[in-house]
Amino acid sequence: MRLLHTSDWHLGRAFHRVNMLGAQSEFIGHLVATAREREVDAVVVAGDVYDRAVPPLAAVELFDEALHRLAGLGVPTVMISGNHDSARRLGVGAGLIGRAGIHLRTDPAACGTPVVLPDAHGDVAFYGLPYLEPALVKDEFAIERPGHETVLAAAMDRVRADLATRARGTRSVVLAHAFVTGGEASDSERDIAVGGVAAVPAGVFDGVDYVALGHLHGCQTITDRVRYCGSPLPYSFSEAGHRKSMWLVELDARGAVAAERLDCPVPRALARIRGTLQDLLADPALAPHEDAWVEATLTDAVRPADPMARLAERFPHTLSLVFDPERTPDDPDVSYARRLAGRSDEEIAEDFVAHVRGAGPDERERAVLRDAFDGVRVDAAVREVAR
C-alpha cells in the first residue's frame, strides 16, 4: 500500500500580507500530479485543511477543486479536521462525499470506525482521529480530568479494540492532529496547551503500523512509524530553515514502513537577516537573499530613517522589520516585547503576580491561572465554531 501523507494546508492563510492562494493552488496541482505519477493507493490529510473555522469563499472553492481532482484520479483520500478547522463544517456532506472516495473523518465518536482499503496483501484500516479538544470531547470518552494524552489514549483504545476484531494481518494507519513529544514547533502553530501541557508521548499510538501526524509545520520523524509531514508552504519566518515536503509511505505485506520525502513547490525562499542597516545594505554575503521574502532585524542603537524603504531597494520582498538594538539584558531601555519573547501567557501572568506582591504564585494559584487560560482558549474555540 503506497500512501501520500500531507497535512496543514491552511487554505485561506496569508503570509505577512502576501496572498498565498495562488501558491496553495499550485500545491494542490502538485499533490494531484504526484499522486498520479507515483501511482499512490491513498492520500491522507492530517488536519488543518483550512486556516480558520469560517474560511473565505476563495479557500472553500479551492478545497472543492481539490476534492474534485482527487476524486477524478480514483485515488481514495482520508482526511481529518485539525484545530484550525471547524469539524462540523468540514464534515458537512461527508457521507455523500465518501461515495466519491473522499473520506472525511471529523466526528470524535467515529475514531474506532476505519476506512478499509484493500491491496494485493489484504486490508489496510485507516483510522481518522480529528483534533480532540479535551474539554469538548471528555463526555464522549467518559474522562473526568481531560488532557491531550488522556483523550488520545481513549481514542486509541477504540482503534486497538476495533483492530482486534479484524482479520489477522490487517495493517493499520492512524491519522492524528496533535503535538507529539519530540516534535519541534514553529511560530505559526496555534497553541493547544491544556493545563500548561501540549505534548503527548509517541507511545500513545503503539499497536498500529503508521501514524500520519498533522499540526507541527516542520517535517519530522518522531519514530520510523510516527511522522509529521509538515505544512506544504511556509506560514512564518520561523520556518526559514524548513524543507517543505510530503511523505511517500509504503506498507509492505507485514506492515513494515518505508518512507521517501518528496519536495513541495514553494513560491519564494525565506531569509532572516540581522545587523545594522548599513551592514545589511552593503554585505555581499547577503546577495543570495535579494529575491527572497525577508525578515530583517536591525541592531542599530538608534532607529534609522526610512529603514523599510531603504531595505526594499536591495531586498524588494522584505515583509517584516524588527528592531533589536544591541543592549545588555539589564539595560532599562530593553523593549517590553524583547523581555517577553519566548514566554507563554501563563509565565507572563505568573511574573505579573510576582511583580505586584513580591512573590510568585503557589501551586494552587498556578492551577487557577492554568484553568483560566484553558477556559478562555476553549471558549474562543467554541465561539469560533458557532459563528
Side-chain angles (χ1 to χ4, degrees):
M1 179 73 70
R2 183 177 295 172
L3 321 172
L4 193 57
H5 168 196
T6 179
S7 74
D8 294 272
W9 296 356
H10 288 279
L11 300 182
R13 187 166 185 162
F15 179 74
H16 288 269
R17 305 179 307 282
V18 175
N19 188 321
M20 296 290 278
L21 203 65
Q24 291 168 341
S25 180
E26 185 178 355
F27 162 70
I28 295 299
H30 171 72
L31 170 69
V32 172
T34 301
R36 180 178 59 249
E37 292 163 7
R38 300 305 291 263
E39 299 180 337
V40 305
D41 300 301
V43 172
V44 296
V45 186
D48 281 354
V49 174
Y50 292 120
D51 188 55
R52 56 182 187 265
V54 185
L57 179 58
V60 177
E61 291 173 338
L62 181 55
F63 178 60
D64 181 63
E65 177 189 338
L67 295 187
H68 277 85
R69 295 181 69 178
L70 288 167
L73 280 181
V75 175
T77 298
V78 185
M79 186 178 297
I80 62 172
S81 50
N83 63 301
H84 279 249
D85 299 308
S86 164
R88 293 180 65 183
R89 283 189 173 86
L90 188 64
V92 168
L96 205 58
I97 295 170
R99 297 180 187 178
I102 308 294
H103 305 280
L104 300 174
R105 291 294 184 263
T106 64
D107 183 359
C111 286
T113 304
V115 176
V116 180
L117 302 176
D119 69 2
H121 305 291
D123 288 342
V124 179
F126 290 78
Y127 297 90
L129 277 56
Y131 172 66
L132 302 174
E133 175 59 57
L136 302 182
V137 301
K138 60 185 179 66
D139 293 338
E140 169 62 34
F141 295 107
I143 294 171
E144 292 184 7
R145 301 186 66 180
H148 288 298
E149 184 173 354
T150 53
V151 297
L152 272 172
M156 282 302 301
D157 285 344
R158 294 188 183 183
V159 169
R160 285 184 284 263
D162 178 84
L163 196 54
T165 69
R166 300 195 173 269
R168 185 173 180 178
T170 298
R171 289 152 293 159
S172 53
V173 175
V174 165
L175 290 72
H177 198 85
F179 191 159
V180 175
T181 303
E184 183 177 343
S186 61
D187 292 343
S188 51
E189 297 115 7
R190 184 181 293 170
D191 180 27
I192 61 171
V194 174
V197 178
V200 300
V204 165
F205 300 105
D206 285 351
V208 296
D209 293 309
Y210 184 69
V211 181
L213 293 173
H215 180 58
L216 299 184
H217 289 182
C219 181
Q220 300 168 65
T221 300
I222 305 300
T223 73
D224 286 344
R225 296 183 181 275
V226 181
R227 296 172 185 262
Y228 285 100
C229 58
S231 61
L233 292 165
Y235 293 114
S236 72
F237 276 103
S238 65
E239 300 168 56
H242 288 188
R243 172 186 162 197
K244 295 303 183 181
S245 55
M246 303 179 287
W247 286 114
L248 184 67
V249 176
E250 294 206 24
L251 290 180
D252 71 10
R254 297 171 299 167
V257 173
E260 178 185 356
R261 195 172 173 186
L262 306 180
D263 290 330
C264 293
V266 292
R268 197 176 296 279
L270 305 187
R272 300 178 108 171
I273 60 177
R274 180 185 178 90
T276 65
L277 178 60
Q278 192 57 44
D279 286 346
L280 296 184
L281 295 176
D283 188 352
L286 299 180
H289 304 317
E290 290 175 357
D291 195 45
W293 279 326
V294 168
E295 178 185 74
T297 299
L298 299 184
T299 60
D300 301 76
V302 177
R303 185 174 300 211
D306 299 323
M308 181 63 90
R310 293 165 67 186
L311 278 168
E313 292 178 3
R314 183 179 186 190
F315 306 101
H317 304 289
T318 302
L319 299 180
S320 175
L321 187 58
V322 179
F323 293 96
D324 188 16
E326 296 288 0
R327 294 182 175 131
T328 60
D330 57 352
D331 189 319
D333 290 330
V334 171
S335 73
Y336 182 70
R338 186 174 178 182
R339 292 199 302 273
L340 299 185
R343 301 185 67 74
S344 68
D345 290 343
E346 188 177 327
E347 289 171 329
I348 294 169
E350 291 179 8
D351 288 348
F352 176 75
V353 172
H355 173 74
V356 169
R357 73 179 188 192
D362 59 27
E363 191 52 45
R364 183 185 62 80
E365 292 167 331
R366 287 193 182 93
V368 171
L369 288 171
R370 283 195 297 269
D371 289 345
F373 281 114
D374 288 347
V376 169
R377 182 179 52 77
V378 171
D379 181 63
V382 171
R383 283 188 286 105
E384 186 173 12
V385 170
R387 285 171 56 193

